[in-house]
Amino acid sequence: MHPMLNTAIKAARRAGNIINRASLHLDKISISTKGPGDYVTDIDRHAEEAIIQILSEAYPDHAFVAEESGITGDSEYRWIIDPLDGTKNFIHGFPNYAVSIALAVRGQIELAVIYDPNRNELFTASRGGGAFLNDRRIRVSPCPSLDVAIISVASKFSAEHADTQFINELISRSNGFRRLGSTVLELAYLACGRLDAYCGLKQNAWDTAAGSLLVLEAGGLIGDWQGEQNWMRTGNVLAASPKIFAQLVQTLNAAK
């Protein structure tokens, strides 16, 4: 295993331990808001600090893009960190949240770790080396078409939203719809075949960086809503097995 991946795993597990301990005393955590419906806790910050400490001690010249502390450093090696994706779930004691760490080298994601501390599930990937769940190789599902697919949509949609027609069409054409409240888990579940397709609107880099490599290394595709590779810039993301991916793009274009 790549030594940097081992270090990222150590950091993710350290953050997971912090989160697990705090989950036993939810009444004692400090909660604040970053915007409407956007919460942050002291546990998010503590977990992020632990991750950055481990990574920076091992690689002091690397840069960081982290949800809570922003961008620090300037390097062609950049760690992209979401210390607790699914904060609202965590606050409510709903066990769908995870730690996400990715390493980008010259703008390309090379390593990925997603750790679910509730289930002790560790998803890892390295570019060209495959995707794994607890050391077992994983693949996207063989689902052949959207009408038998279970899909996930990660967005805040309203009746007035310009893309609501597409989302409604996507949901109605699928075999089922799930929303986990954690983008990083949804992409990890897509990579291991628990979900067949994913659609996200205005996602941040830390939401999708690690999951994107998991999906690719598990045999899936990821792109923007036109099927192109601008998803990291726009935050509008489609991901699925190759057959389903083409149908997602076609459904979007037909609905516009």
Side-chain angles (χ1 to χ4, degrees), residues 85 97-100 112-116 119 121-125 131-134 136-141 152 180 182-198 207-216 218 222 239:
D85 185 62
Y97 44 83
V99 180
S100 178
V113 174
I114 292 175
Y115 180 54
D116 177 351
R119 301 169 182 86
E121 289 190 333
L122 181 71
F123 298 85
T124 60
F132 297 83
L133 167 54
N134 292 344
R136 176 180 60 83
R137 187 146 192 167
I138 54 176
R139 300 287 296 177
V140 294
S141 82
S152 174
L180 303 183
S182 170
T183 293
V184 303
L185 277 184
E186 287 166 331
L187 289 172
Y189 283 12
L190 171 61
C192 70
R194 295 173 184 170
L195 295 170
D196 301 306
Y198 167 87
D207 297 317
T208 55
S212 68
L213 185 61
L214 277 170
V215 170
L216 291 172
I222 187 164

Side-chain angles (χ1 to χ4, degrees), residues 145-153 164-178 248 251 255:
S145 61
L146 185 57
D147 64 317
V148 293
I150 300 294
I151 68 168
S152 174
V153 176
T164 297
Q165 181 181 350
F166 162 61
I167 298 302
N168 289 338
E169 178 70 14
L170 188 64
I171 292 172
S172 65
R173 285 193 56 193
S174 72
N175 188 41
F177 164 65
R178 306 289 184 268
L248 293 178
T251 300

Side-chain angles (χ1 to χ4, degrees), residues 39-80:
Y39 299 95
V40 61
T41 71
D42 54 339
I43 307 307
D44 293 73
R45 297 188 179 96
H46 293 332
E48 183 172 291
E49 289 167 2
I51 292 169
I52 292 175
Q53 179 182 6
I54 289 173
L55 294 175
S56 61
E57 286 177 354
Y59 309 107
D61 297 329
H62 288 192
F64 298 90
V65 179
E67 180 174 14
E68 308 309 333
S69 57
I71 300 173
T72 56
D74 183 15
S75 170
E76 62 183 16
Y77 289 83
R78 178 171 288 193
W79 294 95
I80 305 172

Side-chain angles (χ1 to χ4, degrees), residues 83-106:
L84 176 53
D85 185 62
T87 298
K88 281 189 284 188
N89 286 346
F90 172 72
I91 292 169
H92 286 82
F94 188 77
N96 280 350
Y97 44 83
V99 180
S100 178
I101 303 172
L103 175 65
V105 182
R106 292 182 289 277

Side-chain angles (χ1 to χ4, degrees), residues 14-59:
R14 178 74 61 81
N17 288 338
I18 292 170
I19 293 165
N20 273 343
R21 288 197 301 270
S23 70
L24 301 176
H25 307 282
L26 291 176
D27 58 320
K28 296 181 180 179
I29 66 174
S30 174
I31 304 170
S32 56
T33 58
K34 297 187 287 185
D38 189 6
Y39 299 95
V40 61
T41 71
D42 54 339
I43 307 307
D44 293 73
R45 297 188 179 96
H46 293 332
E48 183 172 291
E49 289 167 2
I51 292 169
I52 292 175
Q53 179 182 6
I54 289 173
L55 294 175
S56 61
E57 286 177 354
Y59 309 107

